[in-house]
């Protein structure tokens, strides 16, 4: 780092989000689902932090707590930018509204994320309108400018979502997130619903926009190869907890958490294709309402010892990564062998 | 991916293509791209031929009811002394003895059957009564405003009884048109009341949730557990018989709406809950939109079309209920005319057997109900143009 | 590759069209391939290229109307009695009645299919076990209920469902997505079919669960010596599952070769473009090159190569004049492109 160290753009401290859900048909029972449990994270300005993990591990919930689409149950989120340090979790009213301009979301489903009854101008213009930043002619100009940025065209302004393909719809969603000139964008599986040939268009667009506007991305995905492509650092979540975080190459090549190893082993390869030779870890996804004592990964971990069942490991620095495993220092786990050519 | 291809890669291959062709849609129609929800609904609805025809017929029916004074040759209370329970007078076109072409009826003569002591009506083929259009007859106020005495058609002498006459020698055709006023409007007014209640309570229930939701849902459960007809009968029977027609009319409408709103409230609540979870609602919240804007811009428009469908299916139920109540004598009271009160005349077996024309109002009831259902079907298919 | 003893399925010039208001969709427009017992064929391509319709045509599951198999042959080599030396019967499923007894028995008994959506493949009101058993009872004359139940439990065990003797009486909603997909596989395999079709069977699942299911399918295929047709738009997954691959675009086979050839020596501009547009977990990190343009309308009438509008190496006047034939450019490597 040069000169004085810059504070991270986002500081997430002990963030928690619990949902209460009902279980059972006959005897209804109220259970607590710990969707995000005690997550600590720092995000630097201008970087892309990839967040991976299996379905239900709390990726979406984490993203939405950070942008205040959900109210966290506990913990703090701070935003440090040119305007100083604000405590996001405590904002209300006008302050919250001002924060929302800085943190926007891109949604996964290009169909449900656009109101079918609003045309492109209305959809992309809505954030400007409700924040009273522009109206009338000026609104139209700013919307036009933004949709040109994402590769749509002026004549698309008056068209309705039903007349666009999935990739184009995703561009509209990106334009909507971009129009307020945010600092942080939480992209929640922005390419998962797209066809392979269109994924690349959207990924490249996100990269170009980031360079142009120095955006910070929280890029949520369950596709490892996509995360590798777009991220600088990768955070691995399991059962609402952050289990490993590190620079992407190090994390992929030398994972230090057993779950990361499992996750990487499961990724299908194109080059070193292994037909049936894979050693797949058995086991089912965790039940968030009924987590084991100790380490959350215990039931599926092949390295588990007694201490794992008794005591939850702390997240700590091991080499380049932050890891929460009792044996992070001693285990030699298998990662991805990158092609050298 | 070890194969490196010698292909030169263009620098900006992701530039938007010149022609955007919609997968799954014929790209011939540029209009389609710019069409709003309501345009799409209209286009889809217009493909539903039965529904389109039905809506035209319904409009005609309502026009007939609104301008009943003009379209009917008489007033509902005009009596033709000596022509009780006369059968319909058929319309002929080609006049006898080269008299030319045009609508006319024969005069009717009444004879006493010496054996049964019943009057029988016979056309008097010697007396041609041409039907005139825009004739001056009994004066009335059009829409209650314009004083006039012009009727669409009529005969200068004798009488034209298109649907025959009733026991009190009144023209059934005229009375059917006048009856349509109450019968057709009670559906609309009733549905309007249901609509207001349904949207309000359903909306509150769906948006706020929690205790309010629970209370409203339990009330709905309770109301739905009550069988409709007995409830209405009890309530209507409790109304004072001597209330003026207008008051009675509104009382009956309110009674009919008591149960009608529950279904709508359920629809509204369900849609509200579903749409509240849609990503676009979340996106609007994330952009800083207020609750009011989210409800009015994102939630309500999402189900107005479904509401219209529900309403369309509710109207015939209201019409039938009014008819039923009036038929058994606890609804609209004579002298007010509705299709239900008209059918009271057809209550006994002789009427059904020998004066079949008294059943004509029933055909109107059935027809109207069918038409509304056809329209509802068409609307339902068209209501969600974004269904994937 | 020409292993006649194990030949199970010959698809020859299959054309399946949908006749709709807006026009005709040539969902499958002349697809041919052979499938052998013990071997697997992967089918890849963008959404809407006709992968599912091909599979559904084999099973005669294409909804008709609007769909119809307008041309081609789908020959099944059925063997009476077990293994080899018995009588062989060749049936053209396109000549069979869609829902006739023969077709129904082929569907349950000879070819099993696993669908993408594990949620909707089971009826919520019956137990998992009874739904699997029903298949068995239907296609195995003379089998007793007890026997069927035992076989079902055994099968559930085989696909890795713990406590199968209890879980056999569970309802679908009590199963997780991964378990439902396993049960689905058990249902497809219960009658010991000669061929298994997987239409994106793992797309809705997590990577770790996907890996388990892929291994399971691989193991069972080897064990039961089945022919496998594996459909997916995930190239890496198809790569792991198949011996050979066909790449489809707009209802046509663009390239057909062994898996290694498709991955290491792809020839068709479309395959190449696909490869350059997907990120990989272990390959070189370089900027992706999206395929330019969008998929043409399925109603469009394209006289020449269907990929013409998006192809980087197109030769106007040649490529768009007539449809290039599928040519064998190297042994076992077919390409539909004028460049070869
Ligand atoms: N509104 C809610 N009410 C109750 N439980 C919820 C709610 N939203 C999420 N959950 C639960 O919280 C857990 C985490 O969900 P989340 O959507 O954050 O996971 P995810 O990692 O984004 O998964 P996916 O990859 O499937 O999108 C899940 O078990 C989910 O069932
Ligand atoms: N029932 C149907 N009615 C009309 N058209 C259909 C029907 N089923 C499929 N099609 C059309 O046939 C074409 C091929 O569809 P198919 O389902 O085979 O695609 P796919 O390759 O399986 O795509 P995906 O990856 O999305 O599953 C598409 O254009 C589709 O719109
Ligand atoms: S035939 Fe022409 S257009 Fe088609 S893939 Fe080959 S080069 Fe491209
Ligand atoms: Mg999610
Ligand atoms: Mg498919």
């Amino acid at each position: 780092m040069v000169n004085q160290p810059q504070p991270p753009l986002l500081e997430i401290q002990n963030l928690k989000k619990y949902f209460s859900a009902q279980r059972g048909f006959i005897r209804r029972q109220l259970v607590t689902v710990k969707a995000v449990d005690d997550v600590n994270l720092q995000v630097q300005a201008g970087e892309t932090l990839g967040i991976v993990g299996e379905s239900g591990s709390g990726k979406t919930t984490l993203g939405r707590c950070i942008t205040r689409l959900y109210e966290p149950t506990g913990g703090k989120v701070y935003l440090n930018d040119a305007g100083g340090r604000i405590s996001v979790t405590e904002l209300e009213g006008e302050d919250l509204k001002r924060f929302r301009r800085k943190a926007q979301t891109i949604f996964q489903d290009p169909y449900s994320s656009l109101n079918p009854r609003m045309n492109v101008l209305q959809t992309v213009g809505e954030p400007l309108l409700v924040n009273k930043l522009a109206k009338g002619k000026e609104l139209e100009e700013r919307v036009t400018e933004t949709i040109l940025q994402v590769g749509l065209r002026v004549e698309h302004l008056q068209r309705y979502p039903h007349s666009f393909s999935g990739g184009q719809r995703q561009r509209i969603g990106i334009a909507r997130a971009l129009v307020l000139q945010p600092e942080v964008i939480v992209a929640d599986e922005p390419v998962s619903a797209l066809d392979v040939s269109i994924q690349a268009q959207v990924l490249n667009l996100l990269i170009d926009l980031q360079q142009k506007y120095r955006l910070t991305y929280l890029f949520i995905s369950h596709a490892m190869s996509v995360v590798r492509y777009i991220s600088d650092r990768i955070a691995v979540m399991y059962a609402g907890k952050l289990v490993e975080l590190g620079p992407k190459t190090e994390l992929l090549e030398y994972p230090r958490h057993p779950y990361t190893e499992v996750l990487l082993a499961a990724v299908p390869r194109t080059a070193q294709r292994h037909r049936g030779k894979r050693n797949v870890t058995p086991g089912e996804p965790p039940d968030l309402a009924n987590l084991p004592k100790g380490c959350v990964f215990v039931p599926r971990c092949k390295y588990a010892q007694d201490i794992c069942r008794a005591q939850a490991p702390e997240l700590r620095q091991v080499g380049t990564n932050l890891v929460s495993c009792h044996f992070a220092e001693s285990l030699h786990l298998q990662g991805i062998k990158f092609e050298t050519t | 991916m070890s194969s490196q291809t010698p292909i030169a890669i263009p620098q900006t291959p992701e530039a938007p293509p010149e022609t955007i062709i919609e997968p799954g849609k014929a790209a011939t129609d540029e209009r389609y791209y710019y069409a709003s929800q309501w345009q799409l609904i209209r286009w889809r609805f217009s493909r539903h031929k039965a529904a389109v025809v039905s809506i035209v017929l319904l409009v005609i029916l309502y026009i007939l009811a609104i301008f009943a004074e003009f379209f009917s040759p008489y007033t509902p209370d005009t009596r033709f002394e000596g022509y009780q329970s006369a059968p319909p007078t058929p319309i002929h076109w080609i006049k006898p003895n080269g008299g030319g072409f045009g609508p006319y009826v024969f005069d009717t003569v009444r004879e006493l059957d010496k054996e049964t002591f019943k009057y029988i009506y016979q056309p008097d083929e010697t007396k041609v009564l041409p039907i005139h259009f825009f004739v001056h007859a009994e004066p009335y106020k059009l829409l209650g405003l314009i004083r006039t005495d012009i009727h669409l058609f009529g005969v200068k002498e004798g009488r034209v009884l298109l649907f025959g006459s009733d026991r009190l020698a009144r023209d059934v055709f005229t009375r059917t048109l006048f009856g349509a006023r109450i019968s057709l409007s009670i559906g609309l007014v009733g549905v309007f009341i249901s609509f207001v209640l349904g949207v309000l309570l359903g909306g509150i229930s769906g948006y706020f949730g929690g205790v309010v939701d629970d209370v409203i849902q339990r009330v709905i459960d309770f109301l739905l557990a009550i069988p409709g007809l007995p409830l209405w009968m009890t309530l209507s029977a409790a109304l004072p018989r001597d209330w003026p027609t207008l008051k009675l009319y509104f009382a009956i409408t309110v009674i009919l709406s008591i149960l009608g709103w529950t279904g709508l409230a359920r629809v509204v609540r369900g849609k509200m809950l579903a749409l509240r979870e849609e990503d676009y609602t979340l996106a609007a919240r994330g952009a800083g939109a207020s609750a009011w804007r989210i409800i009015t811009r994102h939630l309500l428009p999402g189900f107005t079309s479904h509401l219209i469908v529900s309403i369309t299916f509710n109207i015939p139920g209201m019409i039938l209920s009014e008819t039923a109540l009036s038929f058994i004598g606890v609804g609209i009271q004579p002298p007010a005319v509705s299709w239900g009160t008209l059918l009271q005349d057809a209550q006994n077996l002789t009427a059904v057997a020998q004066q079949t024309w008294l059943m004509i109002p029933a055909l109107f009831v059935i027809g109207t109900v069918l038409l509304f259902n056809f329209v509802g079907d068409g609307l339902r298919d068209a209501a969600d143009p974004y269904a994937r | 590759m020409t292993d006649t003893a194990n030949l199970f399925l010959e698809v020859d010039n299959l054309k399946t069209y949908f006749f709709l208001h807006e026009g005709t969709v040539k969902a499958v427009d002349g697809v041919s391939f052979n499938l052998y017992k013990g071997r697997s064929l992967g089918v890849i391509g963008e959404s809407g290229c006709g992968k599912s319709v091909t599979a559904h045509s084999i099973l005669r599951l294409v909804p008709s109307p609007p769909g119809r198999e307008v041309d081609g042959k789908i020959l099944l080599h059925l063997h009476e009695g077990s293994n080899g030396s018995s009588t062989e019967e060749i049936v053209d499923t396109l000549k069979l009645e869609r829902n006739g007894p023969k077709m129904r028995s082929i569907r349950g008994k000879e070819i099993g299919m696993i669908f993408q959506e594990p949620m909707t493949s089971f009826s919520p009101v019956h137990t998992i076990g009874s739904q699997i058993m029903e298949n068995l009872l239907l296609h195995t004359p003379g089998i007793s209920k007890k026997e069927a139940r035992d076989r079902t439990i055994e099968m559930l065990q085989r696909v890795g469902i713990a406590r199968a003797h209890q879980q056999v009486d569970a309802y679908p909603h009590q199963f997780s997505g991964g378990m439902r997909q396993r049960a689905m596989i058990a249902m497809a395999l219960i009658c010991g079919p000669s061929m298994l079709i997987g239409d994106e069977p793992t797309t809705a699942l997590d990577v770790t669960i996907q890996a388990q299911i892929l291994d399971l399918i691989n193991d069972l295929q080897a064990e039961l010596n089945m022919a496998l047709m594996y459909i997916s738009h995930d190239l890496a997954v198809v790569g792991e599952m198949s011996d050979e691959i066909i790449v489809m675009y707009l209802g046509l086979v663009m390239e057909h070769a062994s898996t290694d050839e498709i991955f290491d020596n792809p020839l068709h501009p479309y395959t190449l473009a696909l490869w350059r547009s997907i990120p990989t977990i272990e390959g070189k990190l370089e900027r992706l090159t999206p395929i330019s343009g969008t998929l043409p309308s399925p109603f469009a009438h394209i006289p020449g190569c269907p990929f013409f509008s998006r192809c980087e190496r197109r030769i106007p006047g040649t490529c768009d004049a007539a449809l290039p034939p599928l040519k064998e450019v190297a042994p076992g490597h077919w390409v539909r492109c004028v460049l070869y």
Side-chain angles (χ1 to χ4, degrees):
Chain A
M1 289 280 138
V2 231
N3 302 341
Q4 73 236 67
Q6 274 224 323
L9 180 71
L10 276 175
E11 279 176 68
I12 294 146
Q13 296 177 355
N14 307 94
L15 195 68
K16 293 188 185 73
K17 176 69 185 175
Y18 298 166
F19 294 105
S20 52
Q22 282 177 344
R23 285 277 169 88
F25 280 115
I26 300 144
R27 260 192 300 135
R28 282 213 265 172
Q29 210 179 346
L30 217 57
V31 295
T32 304
V33 173
K34 299 184 175 180
V36 169
D37 198 16
D38 217 0
V39 167
N40 289 285
L41 204 59
Q42 300 193 336
V43 187
Q44 303 296 332
E47 80 164 336
T48 300
L49 176 69
I51 302 177
V52 298
E54 60 197 357
S55 182
S57 58
K59 307 183 293 294
T60 299
T61 309
L62 176 64
R64 290 184 179 176
C65 286
I66 294 172
T67 50
R68 282 287 298 272
L69 287 176
Y70 287 170
E71 291 305 317
T73 311
K76 292 253 186 289
V77 176
Y78 295 101
L79 180 84
N80 303 302
D81 65 357
R85 177 183 177 92
I86 52 172
S87 173
V88 174
T89 33
E90 276 147 27
L91 296 176
E92 264 175 55
E94 278 305 307
D95 292 334
L96 178 59
K97 218 166 150 179
R98 221 168 300 124
F99 163 73
R100 291 200 188 287
R101 287 186 220 158
K102 297 179 181 173
Q104 285 289 307
T105 308
I106 300 170
F107 294 88
Q108 167 175 2
D109 184 348
Y111 290 89
S112 85
S113 64
L114 300 181
N115 186 340
R117 292 155 192 91
M118 285 164 67
N119 64 25
V120 174
L121 176 60
Q122 289 164 332
T123 298
V124 180
E126 178 167 53
L128 292 174
L129 200 68
V130 299
N131 284 291
K132 303 197 177 63
L133 295 176
K135 59 177 181 213
K137 200 94 208 92
E138 198 200 337
L139 181 89
E140 194 167 330
E141 271 163 27
R142 285 190 55 182
V143 170
T144 311
E145 204 178 296
T146 315
I147 67 163
L148 291 177
Q149 290 290 331
V150 300
L152 295 168
R153 283 173 293 141
V154 182
E155 60 266 36
H156 290 154
L157 271 184
Q158 304 295 336
R159 278 170 45 169
Y160 286 84
H162 64 257
S163 69
F164 293 100
S165 66
Q168 291 174 317
R169 283 162 164 261
Q170 209 53 308
R171 287 169 193 263
I172 301 173
I174 294 173
R176 174 178 57 194
L178 219 56
V179 74
L180 290 173
Q181 299 174 328
E183 295 168 12
V184 186
I185 290 185
V186 173
D188 191 353
E189 316 225 17
V191 298
S192 306
L194 302 178
D195 231 322
V196 273
S197 71
I198 296 157
Q199 275 189 12
Q201 296 178 9
V202 174
L203 289 175
N204 285 354
L205 172 65
L206 288 174
I207 291 173
D208 295 344
L209 291 171
Q210 177 170 48
Q211 280 164 1
K212 196 154 164 193
Y213 298 111
R214 200 158 179 270
L215 293 169
T216 305
Y217 288 141
L218 262 73
F219 190 96
I220 298 171
S221 178
H222 57 256
M224 275 294 186
S225 55
V226 171
V227 170
R228 171 180 180 232
Y229 180 66
I230 200 165
S231 311
D232 301 306
R233 291 190 303 150
I234 297 178
V236 183
M237 287 189 73
Y238 185 82
K241 294 232 193 298
L242 183 68
V243 295
E244 186 165 5
L245 171 74
K248 70 171 161 196
T249 319
E250 284 80 357
L251 185 127
L252 293 175
E253 203 167 3
Y254 304 108
R256 295 196 178 261
H257 194 284
Y259 176 63
T260 314
E261 184 186 43
V262 167
L263 202 58
L264 294 177
V267 178
R269 316 283 163 88
T270 39
Q272 301 129 11
R273 292 183 295 282
H274 36 37
R275 287 207 63 191
K277 290 192 298 268
R278 200 173 7 208
N279 219 350
V280 180
T281 320
E284 287 281 321
D287 176 2
L288 294 188
N290 191 12
L291 289 174
K293 227 172 117 232
C295 174
V296 282
F297 191 54
V298 154
R300 295 169 77 182
C301 184
K302 58 180 171 188
Y303 309 106
Q305 306 284 330
D306 287 343
I307 181 172
C308 307
R309 279 175 268 275
Q311 195 184 331
E314 294 282 313
L315 191 72
R316 63 186 188 281
Q317 191 83 36
V318 181
T320 51
N321 301 358
L322 284 168
V323 195
S324 95
C325 169
H326 289 299
F327 306 106
E329 289 85 356
S330 55
L331 287 176
H332 292 281
L333 303 177
Q334 193 148 27
I336 304 281
K337 281 196 194 63
F338 296 120
E339 281 191 329
T340 39
T341 49
Chain B
M1 286 275 288
S2 54
S3 71
Q4 287 307 311
T5 46
I7 300 167
I9 300 160
Q11 218 33 59
T12 52
E14 65 251 66
E18 264 322 296
T19 52
I20 286 154
I21 304 173
E22 212 28 51
K25 300 279 177 338
T28 48
D29 210 344
E30 259 289 303
R31 286 185 315 163
Y32 175 81
Y33 296 155
Y34 300 94
S36 69
Q37 177 194 14
W38 294 107
Q39 273 163 319
L40 289 173
I41 291 181
R42 246 197 342 267
W43 291 341
R44 278 177 58 149
F45 184 78
S46 64
R47 283 212 302 248
H48 212 288
K49 290 292 174 301
V52 175
V53 171
S54 300
I55 219 167
V56 170
L57 291 179
L58 278 177
V59 168
I60 293 175
L61 215 54
Y62 273 90
I63 291 176
L64 287 179
I66 292 170
F67 301 105
E69 288 96 343
F70 169 69
F71 288 107
S72 54
Y74 308 109
T75 71
D77 302 320
T78 313
R79 295 187 184 202
F80 300 96
E81 279 313 324
Y83 285 89
Q84 286 89 349
S85 304
T89 39
I91 296 179
H92 303 273
W93 292 90
I94 298 166
K95 294 179 182 160
N97 324 328
F101 182 81
Y104 67 93
V105 294
F106 290 118
D107 199 6
T108 316
V109 290
R110 185 173 67 155
E111 287 166 17
L112 188 64
D113 187 321
K114 300 283 169 3
E115 280 164 26
T116 60
F117 287 97
K118 276 197 177 128
Y119 287 112
I120 46 175
Y121 297 89
Q122 300 265 297
D124 176 1
E125 305 227 345
T126 57
K127 257 182 123 176
V128 169
L129 308 175
I131 290 175
H132 296 277
F133 290 96
F134 302 105
V135 291
H136 294 276
E138 286 164 81
Y140 61 91
K141 272 186 176 168
L142 193 66
L143 296 174
L145 296 172
I146 308 154
R147 190 172 284 283
T148 176
D149 61 354
I150 296 177
H151 294 248
L152 177 67
F153 68 97
V155 288
K156 295 255 164 79
E157 47 176 332
R159 66 231 108 233
V160 53
L161 303 170
L162 287 184
F163 294 171
S165 68
D166 64 6
R167 259 183 316 121
L168 299 176
R170 294 170 299 197
D171 178 22
V172 175
F173 176 74
T174 302
R175 290 174 66 77
T176 305
L177 289 195
F178 277 87
R181 279 192 172 166
I182 285 183
S183 293
L184 290 181
S185 66
I186 215 159
L188 292 189
V189 176
V191 154
F192 177 76
I193 297 174
S194 306
F195 174 80
V196 173
L197 281 175
V199 171
L200 208 68
L201 292 171
I204 290 172
S205 197
Y207 193 80
F208 294 102
V211 183
V212 188
D213 182 28
D214 279 342
V215 171
I216 294 177
Q217 289 312 305
R218 293 300 82 76
V219 170
I220 291 178
D221 287 341
F222 175 71
L223 287 176
L224 284 179
I226 305 173
L229 205 55
L231 175 75
W232 292 329
M233 278 167 59
T234 323
L235 290 176
S236 329
L239 295 175
R241 295 293 89 183
D242 52 357
W243 271 13
T245 308
L246 197 67
K247 209 165 159 189
L248 203 59
Y249 171 87
F250 278 112
I252 302 269
T253 324
V254 169
I255 289 173
L256 291 180
S257 327
I258 283 179
L259 299 185
W261 67 272
T262 51
L264 272 171
R266 284 257 154 107
V267 174
V268 172
R269 172 175 179 270
K271 284 281 163 193
M272 204 87 162
L273 286 177
L275 292 178
R276 214 174 54 172
E277 297 302 314
E278 288 278 337
D279 284 348
Y280 62 76
T281 324
L282 217 53
R285 218 163 76 215
S290 60
W292 175 249
R293 185 180 165 89
I294 290 174
I295 295 180
T296 53
R297 285 307 307 260
H298 295 281
L299 298 181
L300 279 178
F303 57 81
T304 34
S305 54
H306 293 271
L307 282 185
I308 292 174
V309 175
S310 292
I311 287 173
T312 316
F313 281 120
N314 269 354
I315 294 175
M318 295 264 179
I319 293 178
L320 280 177
S321 311
E322 180 277 326
T323 308
L325 289 182
S326 304
F327 179 72
I328 56 176
V330 293
I332 302 292
Q333 300 295 325
V337 207
S338 79
W339 288 344
T341 59
L342 288 180
L343 287 173
Q344 279 182 349
D345 291 346
Q347 257 175 355
N348 62 53
L349 272 177
T350 26
V352 178
Q354 290 173 1
Q355 295 151 19
T356 39
W357 57 90
L358 292 181
M359 300 294 290
I360 289 176
L363 293 183
F364 275 77
V365 175
I366 295 169
T368 309
V369 168
L370 281 178
L371 292 179
F372 269 111
N373 280 327
F374 285 146
V375 173
D377 276 338
L379 282 176
R380 183 177 49 205
D381 294 347
D384 198 354
Y386 309 110
R388 277 181 285 139
Chain C
M1 293 255 292
T2 45
D3 166 12
T4 41
N6 275 325
L7 180 61
F8 178 71
L9 170 73
E10 285 177 77
V11 175
D12 183 25
N13 195 30
L14 172 69
K15 294 187 178 178
T16 305
Y17 295 176
F18 289 93
F19 300 93
L20 307 175
H21 269 316
E22 301 93 321
T24 303
V25 179
K26 300 184 174 178
V28 176
D29 201 16
V31 165
S32 308
F33 57 84
N34 288 355
L35 197 48
Y36 300 85
K37 281 191 194 162
R39 293 184 59 84
S40 50
L41 173 81
V43 184
I44 58 175
E46 280 169 87
S47 181
C49 69
K51 305 184 293 293
S52 299
V53 173
T54 306
H56 291 166
S57 301
I58 295 171
L59 290 172
R60 303 299 308 279
L61 285 176
V62 173
S64 169
R68 189 147 52 81
E69 297 86 349
V70 293
D71 196 9
K73 281 201 207 74
I74 297 178
L75 302 181
L76 291 183
H77 295 246
L78 307 178
H79 293 266
E80 279 306 321
S82 54
N83 278 354
S85 63
S86 53
T87 53
E88 189 187 69
E89 182 197 5
I90 300 181
V91 225
D92 186 347
T93 64
L94 289 187
K95 297 230 164 65
L96 297 176
E97 220 179 296
R98 242 168 242 287
N99 272 318
K102 182 82 189 166
M103 204 55 237
R104 282 209 304 265
S105 98
I106 287 175
R107 245 176 251 147
K109 216 171 137 195
E110 301 291 343
I111 307 179
M113 179 148 179
I114 323 170
F115 297 93
Q116 173 171 353
E117 261 305 316
M119 307 294 175
T120 51
S121 311
F122 283 105
S123 149
V125 295
H126 300 287
T127 62
I128 296 263
S130 69
Q131 294 184 55
I132 297 176
M133 229 148 70
E134 192 185 317
N135 233 359
L136 193 59
L137 290 169
L138 216 62
H139 297 297
T140 326
I143 191 171
S144 75
K145 269 232 158 110
K146 170 92 180 58
E147 218 174 316
R149 190 182 158 86
D150 289 345
R151 290 256 299 269
T152 303
I153 293 174
E154 195 188 310
M155 198 69 227
L156 285 175
Q157 254 158 7
R158 277 275 272 293
V159 298
I161 292 201
R163 293 183 293 115
H165 56 283
Q166 287 171 9
Q167 300 279 30
V168 69
D169 294 320
Y171 285 88
H173 68 84
Q174 293 167 315
F175 272 27
S176 71
M179 280 161 82
R180 251 184 297 228
Q181 203 56 292
R182 286 169 191 271
M184 184 78 219
I185 295 174
M187 181 143 93
L189 297 184
I190 189 76
C191 295
S194 311
M195 174 177 171
L196 181 65
I197 301 179
D199 189 356
E200 317 229 13
T202 61
T203 309
L205 303 175
D206 267 317
V207 263
T208 49
I209 310 299
Q210 164 173 296
Q212 295 172 3
I213 300 286
L214 294 183
D215 274 2
L216 176 67
I217 294 178
N218 261 334
D219 292 348
L220 288 169
Q221 187 211 357
E223 204 177 309
L224 305 173
N225 194 33
M226 287 184 296
L228 174 68
M229 178 171 170
Y230 195 93
I231 298 174
S232 177
H233 60 256
D234 187 331
L235 311 179
V237 169
V238 170
E240 295 203 351
M241 294 304 288
S242 2
D243 300 311
E244 52 185 303
I245 291 180
I246 60 182
V247 182
M248 287 184 70
Y249 189 78
L250 286 186
L252 286 162
V253 175
M254 301 310 257
E255 188 162 3
H256 180 175
S258 72
T259 300
D260 289 341
E261 279 285 291
I262 290 280
F263 275 89
D264 301 335
N265 183 27
L267 294 177
H268 196 283
Y270 176 58
T271 318
L272 286 163
L274 267 184
W275 262 214
R276 280 201 312 270
S277 72
I278 55 159
T280 62
I281 189 71
E282 76 272 66
K284 258 215 308 240
L285 258 186
E286 51 191 18
R287 192 176 166 85
L288 300 175
T289 314
I291 304 180
S292 60
T294 47
L295 214 54
S297 152
F299 301 104
H301 172 71
I302 302 166
C305 171
F307 190 54
F308 181 78
S309 61
R310 303 169 76 183
C311 181
E312 284 165 2
R313 300 178 65 189
R314 63 178 166 219
I315 310 165
T318 310
C319 300
D320 52 351
L323 179 66
L326 191 63
K327 235 190 332 199
E328 186 162 16
V329 298
H333 195 150
W334 285 272
V335 182
R336 187 190 295 281
C337 175
V338 297
L339 299 172
Y340 300 97

